[in-house]
Amino acid sequence: MRVRLFIFLFLFSSCSVSKQISKQANTFLLQDSAIMQGHIGISIYEPATGKYWYNYQAEKYFVPASNTKLFSLYAGMKYLGDSLVGLKVTEYSDHIFVTTTGDPTLLQEDFKNHPVYNFLKLPTKKSIWIFPNKWQENALGFGWSWDDYNSSDMVERSVLPVFGNLISFSGTIDDIQYYPKNVVTDNNFKAASKGAIGYIYGVTRNFKENNFTLNLDGKELKKIKVPFITSFELSAQVLIDSLHTKNNIVFQKPPIPSPPPPILSNDIPRQYVIHSQPSDSLFTIMMHRSDNFFAEQTLLMASNEKLGYMSDRKMIDTLLKTDLKDIPQKPKWVDGSGLSRYNLFTPKDFIYILQKLKNDFGFERLKVILPTGGTGTLSSLYKKDSGYIFAKTGTLSNHVALSGFLITKQNKLLVFSVLTGNFTTGATPIRKAIEKFLSNIRQRY
């Protein structure tokens, strides 16, 4: 009799919570004037009981924008270990072969120490050969908006990233500084004069070539970053020139299947790797800043470790057939960052991946990697709930997403996902409505 009573009370309580949240969702979200124009999916799950508190169109597909990075984060945490592999080294008695890994941190300004750079700069009489690993991708992702090519948010992917695959311009009109130097020459750089009416204050690169035009308004030029068109040859030359070393460093142009054999037949090589940065330092920046380039290279590096070559398409296919084979609804997943509008996921898919991240890698670790209220992409949101919400934002025009963890006032840990799309307003009203909804749940439970 007691068992039956317990089951009845549990079911009644679950039903009651679901009804209460349904009313709150209707008040804060479903009847919101901005959201009513489009579509919304909501899922809230309690890991402790293994029960969904609330679902609304949770099995429908939405464009998730940067929520896609949660899946790339899983791939990185699963296959990249505690420290990123910056180079794979095969060392013989008179020469050294180094193979690139797609590590995006090399000479990137977020990182002050660069072990790969230090290794290549270390004095040696041996020739150092730089080889690209097997690359099976395009520089730009499937379904990316071509007219964002000039934005620092859409950096080209590559087998050997250097300086974040960005060129930086700064200084004054009379003293313009740019770096890395050998991407810009006298033949591909010019300053446009101010027009009679209307002008752009910034730097514009030609769509298909590294030709840069600087548009000036007579003021000091702030630091501006523009993606450059990448190639292994250009990246390797930029790296070599930046080393300022007397070492004999050469690069092998692709395609090449593997480093050549040793010069001496009895020369036994020593094989090792050069680690660059702690993996979580990359992941934290990736999630707090929603860095598209870091997310893309994370997925490609995971592919390199898992498959032996770099292909986001084949890595995604492998993940969905193995580690993520029991995902509730199979997504259409095409890139690492969420820049593509071809990506389609459901709210329940994000409940699944967040649960998997928590179970496989621990909630305490995720609390550092994901932004909380008042930090990162949540810097203007959830300030009263700092330390109680840990989530990933997602924004494309007409689409806003938020998925993560929420700790309620009664210390219940919830996993949630709210995906919206096809609204015609700006993103701010949608974000504010979601904030009211989640903050109300935190206060009530």
Side-chain angles (χ1 to χ4, degrees):
M1 188 67 179
R2 289 181 179 177
V3 173
R4 290 180 181 176
L5 179 61
F6 174 80
I7 293 173
F8 172 78
L9 291 174
F10 176 78
L11 293 175
F12 178 79
S13 175
S14 298
C15 182
S16 177
V17 169
S18 182
K19 286 183 178 180
Q20 291 172 22
I21 295 178
S22 179
K23 290 180 181 179
Q24 295 160 39
N26 191 64
T27 300
F28 295 111
L29 295 178
L30 304 185
Q31 296 302 314
D32 181 89
S33 58
I35 293 175
M36 285 177 66
Q37 298 174 338
H39 307 286
I40 187 169
I42 309 166
S43 187
I44 300 175
Y45 177 82
E46 184 181 25
T49 60
K51 299 292 182 181
Y52 284 97
W53 279 21
Y54 179 70
N55 284 308
Y56 178 82
Q57 298 193 137
E59 297 178 357
K60 300 288 187 181
Y61 287 92
F62 294 82
V63 176
S66 285
N67 271 205
T68 307
K69 292 181 176 72
L70 288 166
F71 281 81
S72 298
L73 175 65
Y74 176 83
M77 294 180 79
K78 176 76 175 181
Y79 291 105
L80 298 184
D82 294 333
S83 297
L84 304 176
V85 176
L87 287 179
K88 295 185 177 181
V89 183
T90 302
E91 184 171 356
Y92 293 95
S93 59
D94 56 357
H95 54 284
I96 300 171
F97 297 141
V98 296
T99 306
T100 63
T101 64
D103 178 8
T105 70
L106 180 58
L107 297 178
Q108 209 277 347
E109 65 181 10
D110 287 303
F111 304 92
K112 304 307 178 186
N113 183 38
H114 295 279
V116 168
Y117 178 88
N118 296 336
F119 169 78
L120 294 173
K121 196 175 180 65
L122 194 67
T124 179
K125 294 182 179 180
K126 300 179 181 181
S127 295
I128 301 176
W129 287 73
I130 303 175
F131 292 84
N133 207 347
K134 297 175 183 177
W135 174 259
Q136 297 185 15
E137 272 309 328
N138 297 311
L140 301 180
F142 184 52
W144 290 6
S145 297
W146 70 268
D147 56 345
D148 286 337
Y149 78 93
N150 200 64
S151 168
S152 59
D153 290 332
M154 202 173 91
V155 178
E156 288 196 358
R157 307 176 297 186
S158 69
V159 70
L160 177 58
V162 285
F163 296 100
N165 288 350
L166 291 162
I167 183 165
S168 298
F169 294 86
S170 62
T172 64
I173 293 174
D174 297 325
D175 183 24
I176 298 169
Q177 304 294 320
Y178 46 84
Y179 205 83
K181 293 289 186 182
N182 47 348
V183 177
V184 176
T185 68
D186 292 338
N187 295 324
N188 69 357
F189 172 71
K190 64 179 180 179
S193 60
K194 177 180 175 181
I197 56 172
Y199 55 91
I200 299 174
Y201 181 49
V203 179
T204 304
R205 195 202 78 213
N206 285 12
F207 180 45
K208 294 185 177 181
E209 53 192 357
N210 283 326
N211 287 337
F212 303 89
T213 300
L214 190 63
N215 296 287
L216 305 169
D217 68 352
K219 299 178 182 179
E220 182 178 354
L221 174 65
K222 297 179 180 179
K223 191 172 187 178
I224 296 175
K225 296 181 180 180
V226 180
F228 60 83
I229 295 176
T230 61
S231 68
F232 175 69
E233 295 90 333
L234 176 59
S235 297
Q237 194 59 60
V238 168
L239 174 59
I240 291 170
D241 290 351
S242 300
L243 287 166
H244 304 295
T245 180
K246 295 182 179 180
N247 289 343
N248 180 26
I249 302 177
V250 294
F251 57 89
Q252 177 61 55
K253 297 180 181 180
I256 184 167
S258 60
I263 295 175
L264 302 175
S265 60
N266 61 346
D267 199 354
I268 300 175
R270 183 167 70 97
Q271 294 184 318
Y272 53 96
V273 300
I274 303 298
H275 291 283
S276 60
Q277 309 294 336
S279 297
D280 282 7
S281 65
L282 173 70
F283 301 151
T284 301
I285 296 172
M286 177 176 90
M287 304 307 276
H288 279 240
R289 191 166 65 206
S290 198
D291 194 291
N292 296 320
F293 179 57
F294 283 1
E296 292 294 335
Q297 295 295 139
T298 291
L299 187 59
L300 289 168
M301 291 181 75
S303 173
N304 193 42
E305 293 300 317
K306 173 69 173 175
L307 305 177
Y309 53 86
M310 297 184 197
S311 168
D312 58 1
R313 179 179 60 84
K314 292 182 180 178
M315 185 60 182
I316 288 168
D317 184 62
T318 298
L319 287 167
L320 292 177
K321 288 179 178 177
T322 56
D323 301 300
L324 309 180
K325 64 181 182 297
D326 53 346
I327 192 169
Q329 289 82 41
K330 184 178 180 180
K332 184 175 182 181
W333 178 16
V334 303
D335 69 6
S337 62
L339 277 171
S340 177
R341 293 173 183 268
Y342 295 159
N343 288 308
L344 291 172
F345 290 76
T346 73
K348 282 191 174 180
D349 288 339
F350 286 105
I351 299 296
Y352 168 84
I353 197 64
L354 286 161
Q355 270 286 94
K356 199 162 183 63
L357 283 163
K358 178 179 71 69
N359 293 340
D360 290 1
F361 308 112
F363 185 46
E364 293 303 313
R365 185 177 174 190
L366 291 173
K367 285 165 67 176
V368 176
I369 293 172
L370 294 174
T372 188
T375 68
T377 54
L378 295 177
S379 60
S380 62
L381 299 165
Y382 305 94
K383 292 183 178 180
K384 292 182 180 179
D385 294 315
S386 183
Y388 298 97
I389 187 171
F390 303 90
K392 182 70 198 78
T393 56
T395 309
L396 288 171
S397 56
N398 315 114
H399 301 276
V400 165
L402 186 71
S403 301
F405 302 95
L406 181 68
I407 303 172
T408 71
K409 285 286 190 180
Q410 297 178 25
N411 206 36
K412 296 180 183 292
L413 176 64
L414 302 178
V415 186
F416 70 87
S417 179
V418 182
L419 307 181
T420 71
N422 291 54
F423 55 84
T424 58
T425 67
T428 300
I430 311 296
R431 293 194 190 103
K432 290 294 184 182
I434 296 172
E435 181 181 23
K436 289 179 182 178
F437 172 66
L438 292 175
S439 296
N440 185 268
I441 290 176
R442 168 166 154 71
Q443 294 296 326
R444 290 175 67 97
Y445 304 100

